Amino acid sequence: MDIDGIFSAIVIGIVIGVLGRLVVPGRQRIGILWTILVGIVAALIGSWIAAAFDVADTGGVDWVEWLIQIGLAALGVAALDRSRRPRARR
């Protein structure tokens, strides 16, 4: 992967992370850096899944790939937010 690929993965990860965060209802207790990292991971895994199902390269905008990536980012943001919540004492 060259520098352009790394840069585009970061930019796409930012967009995917923010969109994934917007999908999750309520306030999330994670920082922007975690949102970006979740977005980058979701973008990479989502691209791999889209390629596996042969929907990664279509004639126009790759909507299915974007939806997979955003869904994964939303799951990641929700899971990370849930793990950061203070636990109730018994």
Side-chain angles (χ1 to χ4, degrees), residues 85-90:
R85 289 194 181 186
R87 300 180 195 268
R89 297 183 109 167
R90 291 183 184 195

Side-chain angles (χ1 to χ4, degrees), residues 12-58:
I12 291 171
I14 291 169
V15 172
I16 294 295
V18 169
L19 290 174
R21 190 171 180 149
L22 289 174
V23 170
V24 177
R27 182 177 183 270
Q28 294 82 39
R29 293 168 182 83
I30 63 172
I32 191 68
L33 183 60
W34 282 111
T35 301
I36 292 169
L37 290 175
V38 166
I40 292 169
V41 170
L44 293 172
I45 294 173
S47 293
W48 180 77
I49 291 172
F53 286 105
D54 200 27
V55 293
D57 290 322
T58 58

Side-chain angles (χ1 to χ4, degrees), residues 46-76:
S47 293
W48 180 77
I49 291 172
F53 286 105
D54 200 27
V55 293
D57 290 322
T58 58
V61 178
D62 299 326
W63 293 110
V64 175
E65 183 177 8
W66 274 86
L67 290 174
I68 292 169
Q69 292 170 337
I70 294 168
L72 289 173
L75 287 174

